[in-house]
């Protein structure tokens, strides 16, 4: 299985984003209608939710809807209001240099099915802030950093509960577009409804960091975990945790972070089993490791034998092809 | 020193005053643009029909009729500038300049016209259409509920009807009787009671002198669905569940009657009363429902002068009572005319426009003056008006202001389900001397029918739609009568119905999931 990673610069929504939409919409449409035609809320409900909870995004949303062809179904998908449920693997780590020499690091593994990765590392200035983020659901984000030095990433929280709220990628986008610091991002997460359970790691250039547990049916909780995988306080969905080795990964990663002497030590942990997963065929393979350095506004994508760096304020476009072995036993 | 303080104080005072004045001047809202530029008509007051025509001829506020089809307000767009139809079904295949039909989206199965309207109001293409047209939009509906009201508010659309809650109250058949009683408008001898059993029903009937043959109606319901004819215990047992579960039902003496309907509009100048229409009910060629409404006729000699005068007077008084109850605007009253005594009784109230509205709004008086619905728009427009309602009513009572038309609603009457492969297009059809029918030309204006040999057909079910028992196929509008003097379909009408139905072709359903087939009578269009 091949994944193409592409760094794309487009300050305001235009032809590039439209091209990405057209390329991926057929697959997303299938996914969006997975539970039948009737399961998703109306256009008006999605727009209402966006206007109420993320008013800053409302204008951008309308712009993207136009680029997507102006149709009802496309607009309902883009609102990300109560999308179909989705889950993934993922591990996240925050490392603060105990000697105060090196800048802080937010790193994560993104574990998922290769066929379902967008692979677009989008550099945008949609609302006036430069944002570099790994795109998901076409305008949402899996992880990223903005020009103020706020970095954020997500991992699935290991619960099946589904409720009325936004799909998490759009929430991540909203954080990166509107917040400058960890405190601001936490405040946003405390008021936004999300439709499933997720763990969000936040780090800003002042080395302020937080792990936020969000869920559709529980109040948002702010905890301090330098390492998180796919459960919150404890495993609640055994089958998922076992299949993705959630507890093992969390334990290994927390050890790795505690012992790390440098940011690279943390990254090495992420690039080795059990954190680096190879169950690509089952949909839990590690597709990339991302590293965000808020102080220098730099970001990297890493694989065991490859490293791709970018500077948030001057992203260099490029393409990288990766091959994953679907038959790997993992 | 003291002087200096005084002077500087005075100067400071002047400066402050000047600043405050400047600030106030800046804060003052800029002079509003002329009302016409805001989409408002500059007319201050409507005093006669010419004013009214001018008012709507120059209307700049977008007014939308949102409904399954545009049937009920067919032709109003020719009287009202910026009047548009937003519909679910495109009866015109995209050829009507004022009909907007958004691309169909998957949706929950509609249970009612309210569901269709709520679906339309959340559809992105409709939202875009309304928002891009700008102005201060107005909506009128055949049916709407609290959810419709909420959606309209969200979209900044003003609903020009009394509230759904008030409409529902007035729609309750028990309430109709009570409003009628207050207005001195009698219903057929009746009792409004909760019924526990057949014996109890008999007791009530005896106490009120209603006789052996009874008609029982529940509070809400469509024609033909919730009216039960009860002469024996077995009749009662068939409908016992529906009757007993209601907190109150209307128990009437059964009379040998003919139905008639009349539309009117309650305004602050008084109630305007349209012409009395006959009703076509339960014709087997048109509807599978016994007692179900399937059309109307209008013609000058339909009722005796006495009956017409009685019905008009009852509608006038009923409308004025509705105003007192808080309801205003368009409404429809059904009458029951006792064939044995010529007595006229109040039947039902439909607090809305309805299936008979196209007949009222295209009667000769409508062309001589304006369609009745324009008074409804006027009532809600916020424009001041004072009309000589007495004079208008007197004119409309004159048989010369009534010409002869009929409309027939053609439903699928067979008890099968299939998929339509071919359907007759909306337009004008011609009948040859041998009674055969052929398509002549596309049209969306029913008044373009030249003679009794032409008819306007509004297609509702088209290719790809399911044809099921009770599905509305289309509506046929003709000049002249469709019924005989004995109120059975006449031969010409039968030929028209056969001729139009012949254009429908369908194929059987192959392996279709049951849930996709609409349940018979799941919702009706009219």
């Amino acid at each position: 299985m091949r994944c193409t990673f592409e760094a794309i610069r487009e300050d305001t929504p235009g032809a590039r984003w439209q091209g990405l939409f057209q390329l991926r919409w057929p697959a997303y449409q299938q996914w969006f209608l997975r539970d039948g035609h009737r399961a998703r809320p109306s256009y008006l409900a999605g727009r209402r939710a966006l206007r109420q909870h993320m008013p800053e995004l409302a204008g951008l949303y309308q712009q993207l809807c136009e680029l997507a062809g102006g149709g009802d179904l496309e607009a309902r998908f883009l609102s990300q209001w109560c999308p179909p449920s989705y889950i993934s693997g993922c591990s996240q780590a925050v490392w603060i240099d105990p000697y105060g020499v090196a800048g802080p690091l937010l790193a994560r593994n993104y574990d998922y099915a290769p066929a379902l990765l967008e692979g677009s590392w989008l550099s945008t200035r949609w609302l006036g802030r430069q944002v570099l983020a790994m795109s998901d659901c076409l305008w949402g984000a899996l992880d990223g950093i903005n020009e103020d030095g706020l970095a954020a990433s997500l991992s699935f929280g290991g619960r099946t509960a589904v409720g009325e709220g936004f799909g998490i990628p759009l929430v991540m986008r909203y954080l990166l577009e509107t917040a400058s610091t960890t405190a601001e991002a936490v405040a946003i997460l405390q008021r936004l409804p999300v439709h499933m359970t997720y763990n969000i790691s936040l780090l800003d250039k002042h080395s302020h960091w937080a792990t936020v547990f969000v869920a559709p049916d529980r109040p948002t909780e702010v905890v301090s975990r330098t390492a998180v995988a796919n459960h919150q306080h404890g495993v609640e969905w055994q089958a998922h945790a076992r299949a993705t080795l959630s507890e093992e990964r969390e334990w290994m990663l927390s050890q790795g972070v505690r012992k790390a002497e440098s940011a690279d030590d943390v990254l090495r942990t992420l690039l080795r089993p059990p954190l680096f997963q190879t169950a690509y065929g089952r949909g839990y393979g590690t597709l990339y490791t991302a590293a965000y350095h808020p102080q220098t506004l730099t970001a990297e994508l890493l694989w065991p034998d490859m490293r791709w760096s970018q500077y948030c304020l001057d992203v260099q476009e490029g393409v990288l092809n990766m091959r994953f072995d679907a038959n790997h036993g993992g | 020193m003291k002087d200096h303080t005084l002077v500087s104080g005075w100067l400071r005072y002047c400066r402050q005053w000047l600043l405050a004045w400047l600030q106030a001047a800046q804060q003052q809202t800029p002079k509003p643009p002329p009302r016409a530029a805001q989409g408002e008509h500059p007319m201050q007051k409507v005093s006669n029909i010419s004013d009214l025509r001018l008012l709507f001829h120059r209307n700049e506020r977008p007014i939308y009729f949102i409904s399954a089809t545009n049937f009920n307000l067919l032709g109003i767009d020719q009287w009202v500038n910026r009047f548009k139809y937003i519909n679910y079904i495109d009866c015109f295949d995209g050829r009507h300049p004022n009909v907007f039909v958004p691309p169909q989206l998957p949706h929950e199965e509609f249970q009612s016209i309210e569901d269709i309207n709520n679906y339309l109001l959340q559809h992105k293409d409709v939202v875009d259409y309304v928002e891009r047209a700008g102005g201060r939009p107005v909506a009128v509906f055949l049916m709407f509920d609290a959810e419709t009201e909420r959606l309209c508010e969200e979209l900044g659309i003003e609903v020009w009807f009394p509230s759904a809650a008030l409409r529902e109250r007035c729609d309750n058949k028990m309430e109709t009787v009570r409003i009628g009683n207050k207005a001195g408008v009698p219903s057929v001898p009746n009792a409004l009671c909760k019924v526990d059993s057949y014996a109890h029903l008999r007791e009530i009937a005896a106490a009120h002198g209603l006789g052996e043959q009874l008609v029982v109606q529940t509070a809400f319901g469509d024609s033909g669905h919730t009216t039960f004819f009860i002469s024996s215990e077995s009749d009662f047992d068939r409908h016992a569940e529906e009757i007993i579960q209601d907190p109150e039902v209307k128990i009437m003496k059964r009379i040998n009657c003919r139905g008639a309907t009349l539309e009117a509009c309650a305004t602050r100048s008084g109630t305007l009363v349209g012409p009395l229409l006959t009703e076509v009910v339960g014709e087997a060629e048109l509807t599978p429902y016994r007692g179900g409404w399937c059309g109307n006729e209008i013609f000058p000699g339909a009722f005796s002068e006495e009956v017409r005068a009685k019905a008009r007077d009852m509608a006038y008084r009923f409308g004025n009572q509705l105003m007192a109850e808080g309801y205003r605007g368009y409404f429809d009253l059904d009458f029951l005319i006792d064939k044995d005594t010529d007595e006229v009784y109040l039947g039902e109230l439909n607090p809305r426009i309805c299936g008979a509205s196209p007949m009222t709004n295209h009667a000769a008086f409508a062309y001589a003056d304006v369609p009745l619905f324009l008074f409804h728009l006027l009532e809600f427009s916020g424009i001041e008006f004072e009309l000589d309602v007495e004079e208008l009513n007197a004119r409309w009572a004159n048989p010369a202001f009534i010409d002869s038309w009929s409309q027939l609603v053609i439903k699928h009457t067979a008890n099968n389900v299939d998929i339509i492969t071919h359907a007759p297009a909306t337009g004008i059809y011609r009948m040859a001397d041998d009674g055969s029918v052929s398509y002549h030309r596309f049209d969306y204006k029913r008044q373009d029918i030249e003679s009794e040999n032409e008819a306007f057909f509004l297609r509702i079910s088209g290719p790809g739609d399911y044809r099921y028992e009770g599905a509305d196929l289309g509506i046929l509008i003709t000049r002249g009568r469709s019924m005989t003097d004995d109120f059975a379909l006449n031969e010409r009408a039968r030929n028209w119905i056969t001729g139009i139905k012949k254009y429908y072709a369908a194929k059987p359903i192959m392996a279709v999931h049951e849930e996709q087939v609409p349940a018979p009578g799941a919702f009706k269009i009219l």
Side-chain angles (χ1 to χ4, degrees), chain B residues 12-45:
Chain B
R12 197 163 55 237
Y13 171 78
C14 286
R15 206 170 134 252
Q16 274 169 354
W17 181 85
L18 194 66
L19 274 172
W21 181 81
L22 275 172
Q23 223 166 18
Q26 274 168 355
Q27 275 172 359
Q28 245 175 23
T29 41
K31 203 176 168 199
R35 283 163 68 89
Q38 297 175 66
E40 300 283 354
H41 198 273
M43 190 177 285
Q44 296 299 314
K45 186 173 177 180

Side-chain angles (χ1 to χ4, degrees), chain B residues 272-289:
Chain B
L272 290 124
V273 182
L276 193 62
L277 313 176
T278 68
E279 292 206 284
V280 184
V281 175
E283 292 291 337
E285 282 98 330
L286 297 170
T287 178
Y289 306 121

Side-chain angles (χ1 to χ4, degrees), chain B residues 7 29 31 47 62 120 183 216 226 235 249 304 340 349 370 446 484 514:
Chain B
V7 169
T29 41
K31 203 176 168 199
S47 308
L120 287 169
V216 177
T226 51
D235 291 342
V249 293
S304 70
D340 304 331
L349 163 69
V370 291
R446 51 162 273 180
T484 64
E514 213 165 80

Side-chain angles (χ1 to χ4, degrees), chain B residues 69-88:
Chain B
T69 72
N70 76 339
F71 167 66
N72 307 80
L73 291 181
L74 207 62
I76 296 296
D77 55 329
Q78 287 157 55
W79 294 88
V80 181
N81 187 43
R82 297 200 70 179
F83 190 93
K84 304 280 179 193
Y85 305 97
I86 296 177
N87 298 147
Y88 178 66

Side-chain angles (χ1 to χ4, degrees), chain B residues 418-439:
Chain B
D418 49 23
I419 297 172
I420 295 167
T421 52
H422 186 270
T426 291
I428 291 179
Y429 287 74
R430 278 194 172 167
M431 186 183 280
D433 291 341
D434 64 357
S436 64
V437 167
S438 60
Y439 178 74

